[in-house]
Amino acid sequence: MTSTPAPLELFDTARLLEDDEREIAATVRKFVDTQLKPHVADWFESATLPRELGRKFGELGLLGMHLQGYGCAGTNAVSYGLACMELEAGDSGFRSFVSVQGSLSMFSIHRFGSDEQKDEWLPRLAAGEAIGCFGLTEPDFGSNPAGMRTRARRDGDDWVLSGTKMWITNGNLADVATVWAQTDDGIRGFLVPTDTPGFTANPIHRKLSLRASVTSELVLDEVRLPATAQLPHATGLGAPLSCLNEARFGIVFGALGAARDCLETTLDYTRTREVFDKPLAGFQLTQEKLANMTVELGKGMLLAIHLGRIKDADGVSPEQVSLGKLNNVREALAIARECRTLLGGSGITLEYSPLRHANNLESVLTYEGTSEMHMLAIGKALTGLPAFR
Ligand code: TGC
Ligand code: FAD
């Protein structure tokens, strides 16, 4: 068979990248192909994510890679996005780990922490020697974090935190949790070492999505913290929401990695799978699906690189990140499901990646702001009328 281009090669999106960006993507891709992909089906089936991966991600410079100083790689946003894409080509769980560690835990400390907090936590988090998590969502307040009930009250110089956080990635792996709570002065952030008395993390079992990722409930029962545990520069809901922008940006690229892996897997399969005495890839209906998926993958990649260039130049707005997250996750999920149809019965096992990616992308569609929240954010930008309430 003549050699054929990979879907993104048809678009020649690599032309839009600098040499060092291409090198970072290639390095992460090789790591994912050799170190992670051979194990991912087992980890997904057994619902585990080995803790040691944190150190490996740290050695590669992936943790907080777009942050400056404290042992962080200090790359541009496009490079961070490309790394997320390559990780998510392996599994959304890998990208989730890196998103939460770098964009939520480390970013919250880097942006809002004191010098002492930065010195204490960032170098260890960058190296993967310590793991962080980010507790914003509560059982009754996911899309609407403004309503959170977790409360931090003053007792002398100390803070005392009580409440429950839900669906927290890396909760059971974490050494430190960034916890958002109501105070008499509005929402504030706190760094909670997870060995503090009164702090418990309970793993959430029986997930059908993001199985190669640890998801937890955090219970804070009168957790007493010194005054120095508060993030001094975080005031109001805007603080955690600005952390979300960072992680959402990574997902704009990341989701395309899952989609690309589905499409490449399916292209290989349809070339060799014979139905009605010829390769499945040779049927017009198959080619219509492959063409449509390639068009959406390429459009998503152009959008991701465009948003990355804006972020690196002037800073990307939350609404622009919403455009990217809404489109690229929605299209990635559609691609994963369509690929599964082309695999037939074979598509329902862990031998092939598309259904695993599709199941993962159901979570990605929901976390970091559901599709509906991003539609409403775009609607607000277009009309000036907030329709969240
Ligand atoms: P609203 O009044 O609009 O805003 C409150 C303040 O925040 C500011 N703001 C933002 N700032 C930075 N970035 C953003 N994206 C921002 N959106 C709003 C806003 O300007 C305002 O500032 P100020 O100074 O005026 O006070 O707040 P609202 O209560 O009406 O809510 C708006 C809404 C619905 C968009 C927001 O609540 C929202 O984004 N909800 C979705 C929640 C969410 O995405 N949760 C994610 C939790 S973390 C997670 O899922 C991790 S998964 C990670 C993984 O495993 O990969
Ligand atoms: P709800 O807010 O109850 O939404 C349910 C449905 O109602 C959705 O379709 C939603 O779009 C819709 N809806 C809500 N409000 C409106 C409205 N105004 N108009 C129209 N429709 C609306 N959170 C963290 O803080 N840290 C983490 O590390 C983290 N990791 C996660 C990992 C996984 C695997 C998952 C699944 C979630 C994680 N989350 C995390 C939580 C995630 O951010 C929330 O699940 C998400 O924000 C949605 O909140 P919810 O589940 O309470 O759904």
Side-chain angles (χ1 to χ4, degrees), residues 65-102:
M65 71 183 274
H66 62 312
L67 302 177
Q68 300 291 334
Y70 304 97
C72 302
T75 69
N76 68 0
V78 170
S79 298
Y80 172 56
L82 292 167
C84 287
M85 183 171 179
E86 297 305 334
L87 287 166
E88 199 148 355
D91 193 88
S92 300
F94 307 142
R95 197 270 310 138
S96 246
F97 183 101
V98 167
S99 290
V100 168
Q101 181 92 346

Side-chain angles (χ1 to χ4, degrees), residues 134 136-137 142-143 167-169 210 363 366-367 370 372-373 388:
F134 184 89
L136 178 64
T137 304
S143 298
W167 306 115
I168 307 306
T169 301
L210 272 177
S363 284
T366 289
Y367 67 35
T370 65
E372 293 78 10
M373 286 301 109
F388 300 108

Side-chain angles (χ1 to χ4, degrees), residues 96 100 104 132-145 165-171 178 180 204 207 209-211 213-216 218 244 248 360 362-374 376 387-389:
S96 246
V100 168
L104 297 180
C133 69
F134 184 89
L136 178 64
T137 304
E138 300 190 356
D140 294 326
F141 297 95
S143 298
N144 179 24
K165 297 290 175 181
M166 193 61 183
W167 306 115
I168 307 306
T169 301
N170 291 349
T178 298
W180 301 94
I204 296 173
K207 290 183 296 174
S209 174
L210 272 177
R211 289 179 60 76
S213 175
V214 172
T215 317
S216 312
L218 308 184
L244 300 187
R248 289 169 178 174
N360 286 338
E362 293 288 347
S363 284
V364 182
L365 197 72
T366 289
Y367 67 35
E368 292 292 354
T370 65
S371 300
E372 293 78 10
M373 286 301 109
H374 291 294
L376 291 171
F388 300 108
R389 293 178 170 79

Side-chain angles (χ1 to χ4, degrees), residues 278-320:
K278 65 175 190 177
L280 177 56
F283 290 84
Q284 288 187 347
L285 282 175
T286 304
Q287 292 194 6
E288 180 185 21
K289 291 182 182 184
L290 295 172
N292 285 337
M293 292 191 284
T294 298
V295 167
E296 289 309 326
L297 179 66
K299 282 158 60 181
M301 191 66 192
L302 293 172
L303 175 58
I305 295 172
H306 174 61
L307 294 178
R309 294 287 176 232
I310 295 177
K311 186 166 162 59
D312 281 325
D314 314 310
V316 66
S317 73
E319 298 75 28
Q320 289 171 324

